[in-house]
Structure formats: structure tokens, C-alpha cells
């Protein structure tokens, strides 16, 4: 609650009374700034004169403390809102990237299907020791690795978590 001390020199309960009195102050007025049902700060004002208690001034300072607290709460709420808006924009960007990755992955998967299919057909034309067969096997192996990457891109675009499991067939 707001506090009024007419003369710090004669009031031993005031925490900063000795320091304020040594600086030549006598009267003091202090009020809390409350934020979220707690005291965030205490504003204190000192006077070089002895000041009799003024109830109207105490009420006014209580209102000022309340308004300052409301301002701080509003600023914190607006900052939280800005952070949430930034998080939303970031998630929307990630969703767009996922959709783009999914579209590219589908198109690339179609191209890989042609490459893999034609490679399998061509492999039947050569014996295991033929040099072209070895090159075709490398193409087929590389296409298989590319297909694995495509599966990962598709899983990302669908927001699926890859959780490989060992199964006893």
C-alpha cells in the first residue's frame, strides 16, 4: 500500500530513513507498482520539509501506481503477442517450404521412376562382366539413393516423423 512518512528522522521503520535523513530529507511518500498480482517496483519521493499526511495524495499515488502497472502489463502482453505472431509467420514459412518440397519431390520421383525402369530394362541386355552393365548398375544404385532422399522430402512435406523399426518377419 502507499506509505506516507511525515518525518523520516523520527520514524525508525522506514528502511531508507537513515540514508535519506543524512541527505537532508524529512518527508517521504512511496507507492508500489503492481504487475500480475505482485509488486514490481516501489516509487519513492522525498522532501526536504516535514510533510503532514495527505490522504488525497496517497489515493492519487495509488492510482498512479495502478496505471503504471497496467501499462507494464499491456507492454508485456503486446511483446508476447509480437513473439507469437513471429512464431506463426515462421511456422507458415516452414509449411510453405514443406509444400514446395513435396511438389518437387513428387516430380523428381516421377523422373526417377523412368530412370530406374529404363535402367532395369537395359541391364537385361548385358552380361555381368560387360562394362556398360557396371555403369548401369551404378546408375541404378544412385537412383535408389535418390529415391531414399525423395522419401525423406515427402515425409517432411507431410509432417510425418520417420521412425524406422526392426521387424521380425
Amino acid at each position: 500500500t502507499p506509505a506516507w512518512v511525515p518525518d523520516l528522522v523520527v520514524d525508525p521503520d522506514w528502511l531508507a530513513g537513515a540514508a535519506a535523513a543524512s541527505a537532508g530529507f524529512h518527508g517521504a511518500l512511496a507507492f508500489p507498482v503492481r504487475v500480475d498480482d505482485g509488486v514490481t517496483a516501489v516509487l519513492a519521493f522525498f522532501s526536504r520539509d516535514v510533510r503532514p499526511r495527505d490522504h488525497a495524495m496517497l489515493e492519487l499515488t495509488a492510482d498512479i501506481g495502478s496505471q503504471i502497472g497496467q501499462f507494464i502489463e499491456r507492454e508485456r502482453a503486446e511483446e508476447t503477442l509480437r513473439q507469437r505472431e513471429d512464431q506463426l509467420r515462421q511456422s507458415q514459412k516452414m509449411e510453405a517450404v514443406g509444400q514446395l518440397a513435396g511438389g518437387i519431390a513428387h516430380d523428381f520421383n516421377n523422373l526417377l521412376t523412368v530412370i530406374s525402369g529404363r535402367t532395369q530394362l537395359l541391364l537385361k541386355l548385358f552380361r555381368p562382366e560387360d562394362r556398360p552393365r557396371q555403369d548401369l548398375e551404378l546408375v541404378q544404385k544412385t537412383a535408389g539413393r535418390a529415391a531414399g532422399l525423395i522419401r525423406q522430402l515427402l515425409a517432411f512435406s507431410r509432417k510425418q516423423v520417420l521412425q524406422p523399426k526392426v521387424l521380425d518377419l
Side-chain angles (χ1 to χ4, degrees):
T1 60
W4 187 286
V5 179
D7 191 354
L8 295 167
V9 176
V10 297
D11 189 339
D13 295 331
W14 190 263
L15 295 176
S22 69
F25 293 115
H26 286 279
L29 165 67
F31 59 92
V33 175
R34 295 183 180 281
V35 177
D36 297 327
D37 297 326
V39 176
T40 298
V42 175
L43 298 178
F45 297 90
F46 299 97
S47 169
R48 297 201 182 275
D49 301 324
V50 174
R51 300 275 182 162
R53 186 177 304 268
D54 183 340
H55 294 288
M57 182 63 77
L58 282 171
E59 288 180 22
L60 177 64
T61 58
D63 289 343
I64 291 170
S66 175
Q67 290 175 4
I68 292 171
Q70 290 172 4
F71 174 77
I72 292 170
E73 285 177 354
R74 185 171 48 250
E75 285 297 314
R76 287 180 180 173
E78 288 173 0
E79 178 60 28
T80 299
L81 179 62
R82 281 190 291 272
Q83 290 173 353
R84 298 283 158 74
E85 287 172 344
D86 289 345
Q87 290 172 348
L88 175 62
R89 274 192 290 279
Q90 185 63 26
S91 76
Q92 288 172 335
K93 287 179 190 177
M94 290 303 294
E95 186 173 337
V97 167
Q99 289 175 352
L100 178 63
I104 292 171
H106 277 291
D107 291 344
F108 195 66
N109 200 32
N110 291 340
L111 297 172
L112 277 177
T113 301
V114 173
I115 292 170
S116 294
R118 297 297 175 144
T119 304
Q120 286 176 353
L121 292 174
L122 288 171
L123 281 171
K124 294 180 180 183
L125 300 177
F126 296 98
R127 295 183 312 242
E129 63 275 1
D130 291 343
R131 174 73 180 155
R133 182 178 179 91
Q134 294 170 1
D135 290 338
L136 288 170
E137 287 172 345
L138 179 61
V139 169
Q140 189 176 38
K141 180 180 175 183
T142 304
R145 289 176 48 207
L149 291 172
I150 294 300
R151 280 191 296 278
Q152 290 178 2
L153 277 174
L154 287 171
F156 171 75
S157 70
R158 293 185 199 120
K159 300 178 190 84
Q160 293 175 342
V161 178
L162 293 177
Q163 295 178 332
K165 296 179 184 175
V166 175
L167 297 175
D168 183 3
L169 299 178

